[in-house]
């Protein structure tokens, strides 16, 4: 069964550095999402992406965040200048249609020191 | 405010016992309700959604609009049901924007 894959599984970065989290959604999926989960807290929606543009974003997704689909397979989340509070598990998800259930990746654990 | 509440952080039962994982929600409008499950070292995956009205792995959940609840039930728990369970909702116009509860860890003891 095809899966959403995320790399790396764990990323450690210093405060103020830029970080790019990578995701390969399932190949025939058209809708892409990023979520995050700070340790001990809820899974939170960050952004949805369709047709090469952001369709919805949360208050968390400020100017420090950006998403991109640089080619036909990857979907990336960039944090320009990381803060300690960006430390979290970041989940990518994709769906073939707007009403379909989300398929999640295994997540990338980001640690900002 | 849009919110999903799972009051139990941890639920521990013995194999064969009934299980009920509680979920209450607050939403202005007609939400869709979901249960997601995360087994140890695995990814979040959909368990069931209220519009499907189906039973998956013996689990069922009924949407009670009067009580704004979507509790997950299983009559006889199995050890392999041990996992983290998340209740979530989305608006009809915003299907991918899920609002999650904090999750309940279910532990089924032999």
């Amino acid at each position: 069964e095809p899966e959403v894959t995320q790399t790396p599984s764990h990323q450690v970065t210093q405060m103020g550095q830029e970080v790019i989290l990578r995701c390969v959604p399932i190949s025939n999926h058209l809708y892409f999402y990023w979520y995050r989960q700070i340790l001990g807290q809820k899974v939170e929606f960050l952004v949805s992406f369709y047709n090469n543009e952001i369709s919805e974003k949360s208050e968390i997704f400020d100017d420090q965040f950006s998403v991109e689909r640089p080619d036909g397979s990857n979907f990336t989340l960039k944090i320009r200048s990381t803060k300690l509070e960006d430390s979290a598990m970041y989940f990518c998800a994709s769906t073939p249609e707007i009403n379909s259930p989300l398929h999640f990746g295994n997540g990338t654990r980001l640690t900002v020191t | 405010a849009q919110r999903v509440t799972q009051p139990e952080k941890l639920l521990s039962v013995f194999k064969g016992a009934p299980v009920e994982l509680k979920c209450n929600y607050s939403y202005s409008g007609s939400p869709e309700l979901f249960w997601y499950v995360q087994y140890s070292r695995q990814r979040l995956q959909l368990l069931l959604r209220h519009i499907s009205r189906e039973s998956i792995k013996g689990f069922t959940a009924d949407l009670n609009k009067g009580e704004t609840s979507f509790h997950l039930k299983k009559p006889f728990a199995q050890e392999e049901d041990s996992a983290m369970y998340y209740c979530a909702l989305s608006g009809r116009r915003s299907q991918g924007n899920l609002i999650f509860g904090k999750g309940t860890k279910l532990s089924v003891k032999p």
Side-chain angles (χ1 to χ4, degrees):
Chain A
E1 188 177 333
E3 292 179 338
V4 174
T5 55
Q6 290 185 245
T7 54
S9 57
H10 190 191
Q11 173 93 43
V12 181
T13 189
Q14 288 191 325
M15 195 167 56
Q17 294 296 305
E18 176 184 286
V19 68
I20 297 176
L21 307 181
R22 301 181 192 279
C23 169
V24 179
I26 296 173
S27 63
N28 64 338
H29 286 192
L30 300 176
Y31 297 82
F32 314 114
Y33 308 87
W34 282 102
Y35 282 77
R36 79 169 186 192
Q37 185 177 29
I38 295 171
L39 188 64
Q41 297 189 28
K42 298 183 180 186
V43 177
E44 301 172 293
F45 169 80
L46 292 179
V47 66
S48 60
F49 191 86
Y50 170 71
N51 202 26
N52 279 324
E53 58 183 29
I54 291 173
S55 43
E56 194 172 358
K57 61 182 180 179
S58 71
E59 290 176 355
I60 303 167
F61 195 88
D62 61 23
D63 292 343
Q64 292 298 311
F65 291 89
S66 63
V67 289
E68 196 178 25
R69 188 152 162 82
D71 51 43
S73 59
N74 290 283
F75 179 51
T76 62
L77 174 70
K78 186 192 311 187
I79 309 174
R80 287 193 185 82
S81 177
T82 49
K83 302 185 276 262
L84 294 176
E85 53 265 37
D86 293 327
S87 295
M89 192 73 143
Y90 287 81
F91 295 103
C92 175
S94 68
T95 64
E97 301 166 347
I98 188 68
N99 290 334
S100 296
L102 301 189
H103 295 254
F104 283 91
N106 271 333
T108 292
R109 180 169 299 285
L110 177 65
T111 302
V112 183
T113 61
Chain B
Q2 300 167 20
R3 188 171 55 242
V4 174
T5 304
Q6 294 180 249
E8 301 136 332
K9 210 171 176 177
L10 172 66
L11 185 63
S12 188
V13 301
F14 285 102
K15 178 182 168 182
V19 167
E20 183 178 49
L21 298 162
K22 296 192 188 316
C23 172
N24 287 89
Y25 66 91
S26 172
Y27 188 82
S28 54
S30 297
E32 271 212 62
L33 274 296
F34 306 83
W35 276 99
Y36 278 80
V37 61
Q38 189 172 29
Y39 300 102
S40 179
R41 299 179 189 280
Q42 294 188 29
R43 63 194 66 213
L44 263 172
Q45 55 187 282
L46 179 70
L47 181 62
L48 51 80
R49 57 197 299 190
H50 89 269
I51 59 170
S52 302
R53 295 183 173 274
E54 55 190 349
S55 172
I56 304 292
K57 298 186 180 183
F59 285 98
T60 58
D62 291 318
L63 180 61
N64 185 324
K65 291 184 181 179
E67 295 182 359
T68 59
S69 68
F70 189 57
H71 303 324
L72 183 68
K73 299 177 185 178
K74 184 168 182 176
F76 308 104
Q78 303 299 313
E79 287 180 71
E80 55 266 29
D81 296 329
S82 296
M84 198 74 183
Y85 290 81
Y86 295 94
C87 183
L89 71 77
S90 73
R92 294 299 170 100
R93 293 184 179 180
S94 189
Q95 297 269 333
N97 180 347
L98 291 171
I99 299 168
F100 281 88
K102 279 194 171 183
T104 298
K105 184 173 182 180
L106 175 64
S107 174
V108 181
K109 298 178 181 177

